[in-house]
Amino acid sequence: MDRGNGEKDRRPAAKTAGPSRRGIAKRLSDRLVRSNADLILIGVVLACYHASSVRADSAGNGKDDDHHSEQDDHHRQTESEMLTEEKREVYALLFPWFAQIVGVFAYYLISRYSHAVPYTALMFVIGATIGFFVEREKLNSVTFSTRTWLDIEGEVILLVFLPGLLYLDSYNIDVHLFLASFWQLIIFAFPMVLAGTTLTALVAYYVFPYGWSLDLCMTFGSILAATDPVAVAVLLNELGAPPRLKMHVSGESLMNDGSAVVFYHIFSLRFLYQLGVEGEGHEIGWGEGFKLFFQLSLGGACIGVAFGMGLLIVLYNLNHRLSGEDSVVQVVATITTAYLVFFTSEILAGCSGIIAVLFCGVTVKAFGETLYNDGHLSHHFWEITEYLLNTLLFALGGCVWGDIVGKPYEGEPLFKREDYGYLFALFFLILVIRFALVFAFYPLTSRLGIGQSWREAVFMSYGGLRGAVGIALALSLHAEVYHLSNDMKFRKQTAVLFGMVGGIALLTLVVNAPTCGPLLKKLGLVTPTETRNRLVENYIQHMKQYVLQEYVALLTEKRFSDVDFTVIKDHTCLDNTTCEQLMAAVKKHKDNSPSASYTRPNLKNVLPYLYEMKDGVCVKCGGDDGSISPRPVPPRSEMLKSRRSSARTIRQSVGNRASVFDLKVKINEGAVHEERLVFIKILHSSYHRLIDHGEIEPRG
């Protein structure tokens, strides 16, 4: 009997031990998934497997060289037959998508573990690692495809990347602020870019020991004059920077890109003339240089406006808003126009393709924003396009940079220890030049257009990053010289030039971009004003009211009748809800519901957590159906007294207008201007919300 009882006593324990072990295993599994340790373990296993296979191959080759020599020769012959020149175009498709899948993992890492690291900087580093080992690894599909892209021609690089990268930036610009600050942007774009090009060229000419010609130094200066605001623009949007600062950063970048490419085109022609290749380059004098400058800039602007007007006609005629196919064709028309206007202006007309894309995008934004049947579809498509092109461009730029840095030229490495010292010196001098130019033109830029404060000038000086356009131009020059000339002197010069441009882009993305946020806060440029605080408070109140009304509507359904209000408070914004607010939501729900279909909400699991209950009725507010106890009507004499007091107060306020608005009081013009911009933004967002809901006709 005792033994039987003991077995009976032990059986429940055995039953409970099983679930506990399963619970521990489940918790460990959840822990692994949440911490992403499973992905890390898979990566470590794959890396170890790859390393062990490489060591095994090398060991086997070392031991059995004589035995396997014929097989190795046969294997190399098979590889060479497989990866022939006829297959080059096919294998060229691999590298872009390989870069995209690497970009997916890179984005995952920085978004989860290191949000401050710019995505483009990480892709450049990954590309540099691939480029450094591409010549040292045995030939395979990835390395062969990468080598194919390393030999791409310069014009193809510009035609593939620049239209897609620039159209979205030009379309996203605020047209009202762009026109208001146009003359400021002109100063940022042309005089300041030319001065920056000249000063940077002087640094390269007198400081660098590479023996560059003055034309190559000016080309180098024009490449580094192009700024890239991608990382800074994201930061400004996240921290809520003033609209004026965002306009200066984005507008300056767009105009700088156009003017920098114009100067690059002029000085690169002079440099290519030095190669001695017939039909390449041109000896451009001062007079012809000014003529070419106006041809490139004004011609590109006219072509861009013309293509923009043509695109507006196409968008206007594709007016079937309920047809998803019309919306898709509208998006196809925009990307087709972006690439066609760049090709027409850059290749056929001999003008600036970047300026043409800029004015095309601004024209469509100014007159055709309401012509899109589905504006969200177009915007998301261009965001995807920009992401794909940025990933590929920075990965390719990193590959070329790693290949140049790691490849020996004439038996010695191209980048020595002292060259890295020159790179860091150039980074410091470029920062000094940027500060000097911004504050040299500050007396003009602070008085023109929408103005500028000294704090904004400091941030613009520090936030002038280098990125996509500069890397594309340096890639184009290096590829063009590589294809045109066999002279190692010129090849080495452009290789060093690209190494410097890539290094500066990497340093600005790694050093300047992550520190721009603390600098914004230190300068007080993201301190919320009274207007913005009121807007945020009102938004929070409206959000709470909306959530409470939806919660009351859900309480009318039986399936939610047993939900505990403490759980709701822990996961929503209803933690500070009062009984009066709840009763107001119940009453509004009752008023908005048809009487025939009205169902009383079940508040039995809500009211006990707000106030004490007495006989099923909330003491402060009334019953659970939203009814409110009527207040006693005051006597007629008190009502008349209150009315006379109200009338007296109104007359006093009318007679003393100075208490409301005194013209003698000095007004903070900056605060008024910011309130005006905020008000315009509210109207703009409300207008588009009505369009999305179909309440107004956008084409009317």
Side-chain angles (χ1 to χ4, degrees):
M1 293 297 291
D2 295 338
R3 183 178 179 182
N5 293 333
E7 290 179 355
K8 289 182 181 179
D9 293 338
R10 284 193 295 269
R11 284 174 187 172
K15 289 182 180 179
T16 57
S20 64
R21 285 195 294 269
R22 287 196 297 269
I24 293 173
K26 187 176 185 304
R27 285 196 296 272
L28 287 175
S29 175
D30 293 341
R31 182 78 175 181
L32 284 173
V33 173
R34 290 175 183 173
S35 62
N36 303 303
D38 52 347
L39 296 178
I40 297 174
L41 288 175
I42 292 173
V44 171
V45 170
L46 291 176
C48 294
Y49 174 76
H50 177 71
S52 62
S53 63
V54 171
R55 286 195 297 269
D57 291 341
S58 61
N61 290 334
K63 294 178 181 178
D64 303 324
D65 283 341
D66 296 334
H67 182 70
H68 294 289
S69 59
E70 294 181 1
Q71 295 183 1
D72 292 340
D73 293 339
H74 177 70
H75 178 68
R76 284 193 292 269
Q77 185 179 0
T78 305
E79 266 189 344
S80 61
E81 290 177 356
M82 180 182 67
L83 303 177
T84 57
E85 291 298 325
E86 289 77 8
K87 297 285 186 178
R88 182 176 290 270
E89 291 80 5
V90 177
Y91 279 88
L93 297 175
L94 176 61
F95 176 75
W97 302 115
F98 178 75
Q100 301 303 330
I101 193 63
V102 172
V104 170
F105 287 103
Y107 170 78
Y108 177 81
L109 289 176
I110 62 176
S111 62
R112 300 302 190 273
Y113 303 107
S114 183
H115 187 67
V117 177
Y119 169 73
T120 51
L122 183 57
M123 287 306 303
F124 190 88
V125 173
I126 294 174
T129 306
I130 295 173
F132 185 81
F133 290 103
V134 71
E135 295 290 343
R136 293 166 173 78
E137 291 288 330
K138 62 181 181 179
L139 192 65
N140 55 45
S141 300
V142 175
T143 56
F144 184 74
S145 179
T146 305
R147 293 176 190 177
T148 303
W149 276 82
L150 293 180
D151 298 334
I152 192 173
E153 294 187 4
E155 283 187 345
V156 177
I157 293 174
L158 299 181
L159 289 171
V160 169
F161 291 104
L162 292 186
L165 290 174
L166 295 173
Y167 183 84
L168 179 64
D169 293 336
S170 60
Y171 183 80
N172 282 340
I173 204 166
D174 191 316
V175 177
H176 169 72
L177 290 179
F178 178 77
L179 295 177
S181 60
F182 182 76
W183 293 111
Q184 283 178 301
L185 300 180
I186 290 293
I187 292 175
F188 289 143
F190 293 101
M192 205 163 84
V193 168
L194 182 58
T197 299
T198 305
L199 292 176
T200 307
L202 292 177
V203 170
Y205 191 76
Y206 289 106
V207 177
F208 288 175
Y210 306 126
W212 292 354
S213 64
L214 184 60
D215 292 325
L216 181 58
C217 291
M218 293 295 291
T219 306
F220 176 67
S222 63
I223 291 174
L224 288 180
T227 57
D228 184 10
V230 174
V232 177
V234 173
L235 181 68
L236 294 177
N237 290 327
E238 288 180 355
L239 296 179
R244 183 172 67 179
L245 178 60
K246 290 191 281 189
M247 183 68 247
H248 284 159
V249 171
S250 59
E252 182 213 7
S253 173
L254 284 174
M255 300 291 284
N256 275 13
D257 292 343
S259 59
V261 171
V262 169
F263 294 131
Y264 165 81
H265 187 78
I266 295 173
F267 294 117
S268 64
L269 285 177
R270 291 177 58 89
F271 169 68
L272 293 177
Y273 182 75
Q274 299 174 4
L275 301 181
V277 180
E278 186 177 356
E280 297 295 334
H282 187 56
E283 185 69 29
I284 301 174
W286 286 99
E288 190 176 358
F290 279 107
K291 176 184 176 182
L292 185 59
F293 172 79
F294 287 109
Q295 173 188 337
L296 291 170
S297 56
L298 297 181
C302 294
I303 293 174
V305 172
F307 270 81
M309 297 303 293
L311 180 58
L312 289 176
I313 296 174
V314 174
L315 295 178
Y316 181 80
N317 286 280
L318 295 171
N319 57 356
H320 293 170
R321 295 184 62 85
L322 299 180
S323 172
E325 192 172 357
D326 271 25
S327 302
V328 172
V329 174
Q330 281 187 334
V331 177
V332 173
T334 58
I335 190 171
T336 303
T337 304
Y339 277 88
L340 281 180
V341 68
F342 187 90
F343 183 86
T344 303
S345 180
E346 188 79 18
I347 306 300
L348 301 181
C351 300
S352 173
I354 287 184
I355 293 181
V357 173
L358 167 63
F359 276 86
C360 178
V362 172
T363 301
V364 176
K365 178 63 178 292
F367 302 105
E369 189 176 10
T370 59
L371 298 180
Y372 283 98
N373 298 331
D374 190 349
H376 298 291
L377 174 64
S378 176
H379 187 75
H380 293 328
F381 172 82
W382 277 107
E383 284 184 337
I384 295 172
T385 302
E386 186 180 37
Y387 175 84
L388 293 174
L389 292 177
N390 261 324
T391 300
L392 180 57
L393 177 60
F394 279 89
L396 178 61
C399 283
V400 176
W401 192 77
D403 181 58
I404 289 174
V405 172
K407 183 189 296 184
Y409 276 74
E410 299 178 352
E412 59 182 11
L414 180 66
F415 258 61
K416 304 172 186 174
R417 185 177 301 176
E418 57 268 20
D419 295 316
Y420 289 102
Y422 284 118
L423 175 61
F424 284 100
L426 177 64
F427 172 70
F428 174 74
L429 291 174
I430 282 180
L431 197 60
V432 173
I433 291 172
R434 174 78 176 173
F435 269 92
L437 290 176
V438 170
F439 280 95
F441 288 95
Y442 177 73
L444 287 176
T445 57
S446 61
R447 290 174 173 81
L448 292 176
I450 57 178
Q452 186 184 32
S453 66
W454 69 268
R455 293 182 177 86
E456 294 171 350
V458 170
F459 181 80
M460 284 187 62
S461 303
Y462 187 79
L465 311 183
R466 272 68 174 179
V469 176
I471 289 178
L473 294 177
L475 273 174
S476 174
L477 180 66
H478 176 62
E480 196 166 1
V481 171
Y482 187 84
H483 284 90
L484 292 177
S485 175
N486 293 323
D487 192 339
M488 291 303 298
K489 171 189 172 183
F490 293 112
R491 287 189 174 186
K492 185 176 180 180
Q493 286 180 349
T494 55
V496 173
L497 182 145
F498 178 79
M500 288 293 176
V501 172
I504 292 298
L506 180 61
L507 286 175
T508 56
L509 288 171
V510 172
V511 177
N512 293 48
T515 53
C516 279
L519 179 62
L520 270 175
K521 297 176 182 178
K522 187 69 175 178
L523 293 173
L525 292 174
V526 293
T527 303
T529 61
E530 184 180 355
T531 303
R532 294 183 180 274
N533 284 331
R534 289 201 303 268
L535 287 174
V536 172
E537 291 175 2
N538 290 334
Y539 178 81
I540 293 175
Q541 291 299 324
H542 283 289
M543 179 182 66
K544 287 183 176 180
Q545 292 176 8
Y546 179 79
V547 172
L548 189 58
Q549 291 172 13
E550 292 297 317
Y551 176 58
V552 169
L554 291 176
L555 289 178
T556 60
E557 302 181 22
K558 291 183 179 179
R559 54 178 176 158
F560 298 117
S561 59
D562 295 331
V563 177
D564 198 337
F565 185 63
T566 55
V567 179
I568 302 297
K569 288 198 303 181
D570 292 339
H571 295 84
T572 63
C573 58
L574 302 180
D575 51 343
N576 295 322
T577 304
T578 63
C579 189
E580 288 83 2
Q581 292 173 343
L582 177 65
M583 290 300 116
V586 171
K587 187 175 185 304
K588 188 170 184 179
H589 173 71
K590 183 177 181 180
D591 295 339
N592 294 335
S593 302
S595 57
S597 60
Y598 172 72
T599 303
R600 177 184 297 181
N602 188 354
L603 304 179
K604 66 178 182 179
N605 291 323
V606 182
L607 292 176
Y609 297 102
L610 300 179
Y611 289 95
E612 294 183 358
M613 300 287 294
K614 279 188 179 181
D615 300 328
V617 177
C618 183
V619 174
K620 298 275 186 176
C621 304
D624 64 351
D625 60 348
S627 60
I628 300 176
S629 302
R631 292 183 298 176
V633 179
R636 181 175 178 81
S637 59
E638 292 186 9
M639 294 175 62
L640 291 175
K641 182 178 179 181
S642 177
R643 183 179 301 176
R644 286 193 297 268
S645 175
S646 300
R648 190 181 307 111
T649 304
I650 293 173
R651 284 196 299 271
Q652 290 176 355
S653 63
V654 171
N656 187 15
R657 287 287 184 181
S659 62
V660 180
F661 185 75
D662 190 358
L663 295 177
K664 298 179 181 179
V665 177
K666 186 177 180 180
I667 301 173
N668 187 347
E669 295 183 359
V672 173
H673 185 69
E674 184 180 1
E675 290 185 7
R676 180 173 178 270
L677 294 178
V678 171
F679 180 70
I680 292 174
K681 279 288 185 183
I682 293 174
L683 288 179
H684 188 265
S685 60
S686 300
Y687 175 72
H688 282 278
R689 185 163 55 250
L690 292 175
I691 291 177
D692 293 338
H693 293 169
E695 299 181 21
I696 61 175
E697 172 58 44
R699 297 168 180 251

